[in-house]
Amino acid sequence: MQAPQPTTPEVFVEELQASNNRLRIVIIALAALTLFVCACFTLFYAYSQFAQNQVVAQGNATLTPTRTRQFAATWTPTPTETAQPSGTPRSTSTSTPTATTTPTDTSVPPVPPEATMTNTPKPPTNTPRPIPTNTRRPTNTPVPPPPPPPPPPPTATKTPAPSYQFAIVSQRSYNNNGSLGVFGTVRDRNNNLIGDMKVLVASSGSAFVATSAVNFINGSSDRNYEISSDPKFGSMSAGTYTVFLAVKSGSDYTQISPPVSIKVTQLNDGSTQWWGIDFKEN
């Protein structure tokens, strides 16, 4: 009779196979995850390099070197604003371009071997001058100066008005049907009455003369001389007269005031019969 075979080893093999399957699945998952991570990192790195290259290219494009003169050794570029990248900023190194002067070819081209130096004679420099001729120079004909301008016409000079010792300070007329004449006062600078002054009432060919008194006459307060139709005061009649003040020297009268013209009308004419004329010392 055969002994029964044990079943334990089969169970162990199945459990070992199950554990091996789980391990493979875990390893495959880790490998796939690793590949995915590596792929993402590779894409991110490539994008970063691309963005960096774009920024550097844009920065180099905005650099505009300033031209300097021909023999300047170096030049300094003008800094300009560079656009900031949208990704994570990384340090970039920008090289400063150095301008190099281009040498100018000043070498003299070589003389070809077939060319020969020839001595070309120079043209003579001593050119004969023309023989001078004895030609008279024009002489300046003297021109007489223009005549002087005529003198300006003499200006009319006004004869200054004579300066009188006395002035006429008042002149007034009155209507009177009973008499006619001229009266008034003669005063000094202090308004005092002056006597022995001659008042002339002159017409063509004749004159009436009145002598001033040192006080008022005829019981009035407006006259210290008077010439009227009254026989005591000259028997004056109507007419046109010139009245002025004078002083007597011998038989002559010297005028010492400006004259004034008056007209005396007939009695009962209803117009002017009396004139009041006052004199005062200047």
Side-chain angles (χ1 to χ4, degrees), residues 3 25 38 76 122 150 158 185 217 222 265 268:
I25 293 172
C38 291
T76 303
K122 295 182 179 180
K158 293 183 179 180
T185 58
I217 61 175
D222 59 355
T265 60
N268 300 321

Side-chain angles (χ1 to χ4, degrees), residues 140-219:
N140 294 328
T141 304
V143 178
T155 57
T157 57
K158 293 183 179 180
T159 303
S163 178
Y164 295 104
Q165 183 180 353
F166 286 79
I168 296 176
V169 296
S170 177
Q171 179 181 344
R172 55 204 181 274
S173 62
Y174 302 93
N175 181 11
N176 191 308
N177 294 327
S179 61
L180 56 84
V182 178
F183 70 94
T185 58
V186 180
R187 299 176 183 269
D188 60 12
R189 296 186 185 91
N190 298 322
N191 210 32
N192 299 316
L193 296 176
I194 303 176
D196 201 25
M197 303 299 295
K198 307 300 181 182
V199 180
L200 273 71
V201 180
S203 62
S204 57
S206 62
F208 296 94
V209 180
T211 303
S212 64
V214 295
N215 51 12
F216 294 111
I217 61 175
N218 294 342

